[in-house]
Amino acid sequence: MDFNQTLKQVGDFGIYQKLLCVFLIFSSAALCALVYFTQFFIIMVPKHWCYIEQPFNLNFTEEEWKNLTLPKGLSSKLDYDQCKQYNINITEIQQNISLGYPLVLEDLEIVYCQNGWKYDFSSLYPTLATELNWVCENDRLPYWAQTLFYMGTSVGSIVFGFISDRFGRKPSIIASYVIAFLAGISSSFSTSFGVFAGLRFFVGACIIPLSEDPYILGLEYIGVEKRTLVIVCWTTGYIIFSVIYPWIAYVVRDWQLLNIITISPLFLIIPLGKWIPESASWLMTRGRKKEALLILKTVARVNGNQFPDGILTDLEAKKDDGGADMNEAHLTALDLFRTPHLRRHSLIMALVWFVTYCCYHTNTQNTSNLGTDIYQSFTYGALVEIPAMLLLFFGIDWLGRRWPMVITTSAAGICGLLIMCVPEGSSQVFLGLALIMRVTLTTEYTIIIQYAAEIYPTVLRGRGLAFLRVMGTFGLYLSPTIVYLALEKPSLPLVVSGMMMVVVALLTLFLPETLNQNLPHTLEEGEQFGKDQRVWDCPCLTHKKHKQEYPHQEVEEPLQYL
């Protein structure tokens, strides 16, 4: 008897698992949305212009004074230049006005802001970027802060992945929550770029483990037939709080208070952490059988099932059986590249993850540059993830994995290229194309998680997913730089993303289909996987379901969002 059979006997989707879905998986997704979007909303920069004090004896309105003292903006998006002013002499202006001379400033020298900036807080609130004047010559600092946040995700993926495999899921979850809370709260009191970026690096390092480790832990207690519900639960929590978040920011209107409010729920891990179970399957792999059996007894009791006798003996017999996995225990991540077909799959998937992560987060960050109300834009961006999930659930069991990826990446690429033709003043058309891109990118983002788990053989699946996750986080480094292009032209980030997605669509054609295919177990099976498939094969056009046969292999069901 293997662990999955044991889990079925104690209950693989009873009250215990439903409690995990609500209190662990859903809540971790909600907290992920709060922590992730805070990174954007506390360093946003509103419209700004050079501050020039108006003499007390002049009665110009603010718009009239700006018309007189500021040169016009180079972009149609800006009424005034945000970083330059006329080099005026206030005393001379007062004398000319007192003598009745006309006030003409257009012929004056244009210089950079001399006395700081004034910000338009009519829609946005004061942020750290406005407090520290991260504008004009310092306008790259918000993007560097975002890049360092994403660098943290790469480091965190490696460090917490090691902690999770070596010390358990529970220590990884608790450590990520505690570190994110301490670093996040401390960043609320930052007074310099270095301090803020350093603290947010640690928050970024925790963003993946605090959201994905609870998801993986819950998945390890749920049977194969119900695993789709795990991703539904996680996605629901993420979408709901992504929709709510902009309006929390709208009500609070203070970056420090907003950061404290959204990071504080992580503190609940201190009193409630003792209720988080360790993964029983992980405990069995580490030889801690008594602890695993105690947890399984709890699962059986909560689910109202009898705990079967002889489970320990059955599990030990299965463990001693050995098999291919035991003989291939020497494999390392380098084996992903030793054979030609597996190497091709790994390199293509690495590029797919790199570009998908980059473009998805570019689209999310660029929401503030769409020329519409920022709160509504973020809300629309979150809401369109709902049809993305519907497309996913109804599409991948009919079209397979590969063709939905080709279709969605092609659609994203077309939208990005069409944006080049949109006039700068057409904000609604611009928003519509950006939201269509968000739907397609979200669909692609979710498909690759399951697809990558199915394409690798069992003996390399964990290492393969870890490799792809790191490659994805590398793509995040490029994202803030692409978003920075919006300062030159708002459409450029989405145009660049569109071009990258066209490349991904073409490369995806050379990956194998995994729908209706037995999953490979050994290294040899992974190398042979998909060799008999053609580029244009599509499961929905195949009347007969093919399954690639492997010698001495038991039939295994396709993974459900591992």
Side-chain angles (χ1 to χ4, degrees):
M1 181 188 299
D2 64 12
F3 182 81
N4 288 327
Q5 293 172 316
T6 302
L7 192 59
K8 282 186 177 181
Q9 292 189 8
V10 299
D12 60 4
F13 198 70
I15 296 175
Y16 189 90
Q17 285 79 7
K18 292 171 184 175
L19 289 172
L20 286 180
C21 283
V22 173
F23 293 105
L24 186 64
I25 299 171
F26 180 90
S27 60
S28 69
L31 292 172
C32 174
L34 293 178
V35 174
Y36 180 66
F37 284 107
T38 294
Q39 180 68 19
F40 302 138
F41 275 82
I42 62 177
I43 58 174
M44 284 184 175
V45 180
K47 285 185 178 181
H48 51 277
W49 54 89
C50 297
Y51 174 71
I52 304 174
E53 186 177 5
Q54 184 177 173
F56 69 91
N57 61 336
L58 299 182
N59 295 315
F60 294 111
T61 65
E62 184 174 68
E63 286 302 313
E64 290 173 337
W65 185 243
K66 286 195 290 186
N67 273 325
L68 289 170
T69 58
L70 303 176
K72 296 296 182 182
L74 298 178
S75 169
S76 60
K77 180 183 175 183
L78 301 173
D79 297 325
Y80 310 101
D81 194 301
Q82 296 192 112
C83 300
K84 294 179 181 178
Q85 65 174 69
Y86 290 120
N87 189 17
I88 62 175
N89 186 311
I90 297 296
T91 303
E92 184 178 338
I93 288 177
Q94 289 177 306
Q95 290 175 349
N96 289 340
I97 290 178
S98 64
L99 295 174
Y101 295 151
L103 187 60
V104 180
L105 301 178
E106 283 81 356
D107 296 331
L108 292 177
E109 178 188 8
I110 296 177
V111 295
Y112 288 99
C113 298
Q114 303 294 300
N115 301 298
W117 296 265
K118 190 170 183 179
Y119 297 92
D120 180 8
F121 293 128
S122 58
S123 59
L124 197 61
Y125 45 85
T127 65
L128 179 65
T130 62
E131 285 189 7
L132 300 182
N133 292 320
W134 291 352
V135 294
C136 297
E137 64 269 20
N138 292 320
D139 60 6
R140 279 191 175 270
L141 292 182
Y143 302 95
W144 279 114
Q146 193 65 44
T147 300
L148 288 169
F149 178 87
Y150 286 146
M151 289 178 67
T153 64
S154 293
V155 175
S157 295
I158 297 171
V159 172
F160 285 100
F162 171 78
I163 293 174
S164 180
D165 283 342
R166 182 69 180 272
F167 301 104
R169 315 294 190 240
K170 184 174 179 177
S172 177
I173 293 171
I174 293 177
S176 65
Y177 274 61
V178 171
I179 293 172
F181 170 76
L182 293 175
I185 286 291
S186 300
S187 68
S188 302
F189 307 99
S190 302
T191 57
S192 68
F193 171 80
V195 173
F196 176 79
L199 291 170
R200 298 306 293 186
F201 173 91
F202 286 102
V203 176
C206 299
I207 192 71
I208 289 180
L210 72 81
S211 61
E212 290 191 7
D213 280 0
Y215 166 75
I216 296 298
L217 176 59
L219 201 66
E220 291 174 334
Y221 278 103
I222 294 174
V224 172
E225 296 81 5
K226 300 294 184 181
R227 282 180 177 172
T228 300
L229 297 179
V230 181
I231 193 67
V232 172
C233 180
W234 193 95
T235 305
T236 301
Y238 184 81
I239 291 175
I240 289 175
F241 278 82
S242 296
V243 171
I244 293 174
Y245 186 91
W247 304 105
I248 297 176
Y250 178 80
V251 172
V252 174
R253 300 188 69 82
D254 179 278
W255 78 269
Q256 288 179 306
L257 183 59
L258 177 65
N259 189 42
I260 292 172
I261 289 174
T262 55
I263 207 75
S264 292
L266 296 180
F267 180 76
L268 293 174
I269 197 68
I270 302 299
L272 301 180
K274 63 181 179 180
W275 299 105
I276 297 176
E278 183 53 88
S279 168
S281 61
W282 177 84
L283 288 170
M284 291 299 299
T285 64
R286 307 300 292 185
R288 296 161 61 177
K289 305 179 187 66
K290 291 184 179 179
E291 295 174 65
L293 291 177
L294 285 175
I295 295 176
L296 290 174
K297 286 180 180 179
T298 302
V299 174
R301 184 175 67 254
V302 174
N303 288 338
N305 296 326
Q306 291 292 326
F307 186 74
D309 297 328
I311 277 188
L312 180 59
T313 303
D314 290 337
L315 288 174
E316 287 180 334
K318 179 68 179 177
K319 177 178 180 291
D320 293 337
D321 190 38
D325 288 359
M326 295 291 292
N327 295 330
E328 295 184 340
H330 62 281
L331 295 178
T332 68
L334 294 177
D335 289 284
L336 295 169
F337 308 99
R338 293 194 193 281
T339 54
H341 276 80
L342 199 54
R343 177 168 60 245
R344 184 181 72 178
H345 298 164
S346 296
L347 292 176
I348 293 176
M349 287 299 293
L351 183 61
V352 168
W353 277 60
F354 178 91
V355 174
T356 301
Y357 268 56
C358 176
C359 293
Y360 175 84
H361 291 278
T362 294
N363 187 284
T364 301
Q365 292 178 66
N366 196 57
T367 303
S368 59
N369 297 317
L370 295 180
T372 57
D373 180 87
I374 188 171
Y375 306 104
Q376 294 181 11
S377 297
F378 267 90
T379 302
Y380 296 151
L383 287 174
V384 297
E385 298 202 2
I386 297 175
M389 295 307 301
L390 295 177
L391 288 172
L392 174 70
F393 293 132
F394 288 105
I396 65 172
D397 287 333
W398 178 56
L399 288 172
R401 290 25 166 175
R402 188 171 60 115
W403 277 107
M405 288 173 63
V406 172
I407 293 170
T408 54
T409 51
S410 298
I414 292 170
C415 288
L417 297 178
L418 285 176
I419 286 174
M420 289 192 296
C421 306
V422 177
E424 286 193 20
S426 305
S427 59
Q428 295 304 317
V429 177
F430 191 37
L431 176 62
L433 289 172
L435 292 179
I436 294 174
M437 282 191 74
R438 181 72 170 269
V439 173
T440 56
L441 288 170
T442 299
T443 306
E444 161 77 0
Y445 195 93
T446 309
I447 291 175
I448 61 174
I449 298 174
Q450 175 167 351
Y451 186 58
E454 293 175 344
I455 205 171
Y456 282 122
T458 301
V459 293
L460 286 174
R461 190 166 293 137
R463 297 174 182 88
L465 289 173
F467 163 69
L468 294 177
R469 186 178 294 163
V470 172
M471 289 303 300
T473 58
F474 285 164
L476 299 180
Y477 302 169
L478 185 60
S479 178
T481 302
I482 296 176
V483 176
Y484 181 77
L485 297 175
L487 296 180
E488 296 297 327
K489 190 175 182 180
S491 63
L492 280 179
L494 300 184
V495 172
V496 172
S497 296
M499 293 177 177
M500 295 170 70
M501 294 310 291
V502 169
V503 175
V504 169
L506 294 174
L507 288 175
T508 302
L509 289 170
F510 298 96
L511 290 171
E513 178 55 64
T514 61
L515 180 65
N516 299 325
Q517 301 289 320
N518 289 331
L519 298 181
H521 287 299
T522 66
L523 186 62
E524 176 60 26
E525 291 168 0
E527 172 62 17
Q528 297 299 321
F529 191 78
K531 277 190 175 182
D532 61 342
Q533 297 181 17
R534 296 171 300 179
V535 170
W536 302 109
D537 282 349
C538 180
C540 67
L541 300 178
T542 304
H543 297 289
K544 183 181 179 181
K545 293 183 178 180
H546 329 253
K547 289 191 177 181
Q548 188 168 332
E549 299 294 339
Y550 297 116
H552 313 299
Q553 176 184 333
E554 296 179 357
V555 175
E556 182 177 346
E557 298 180 23
L559 294 182
Q560 298 294 319
Y561 296 92
L562 277 176

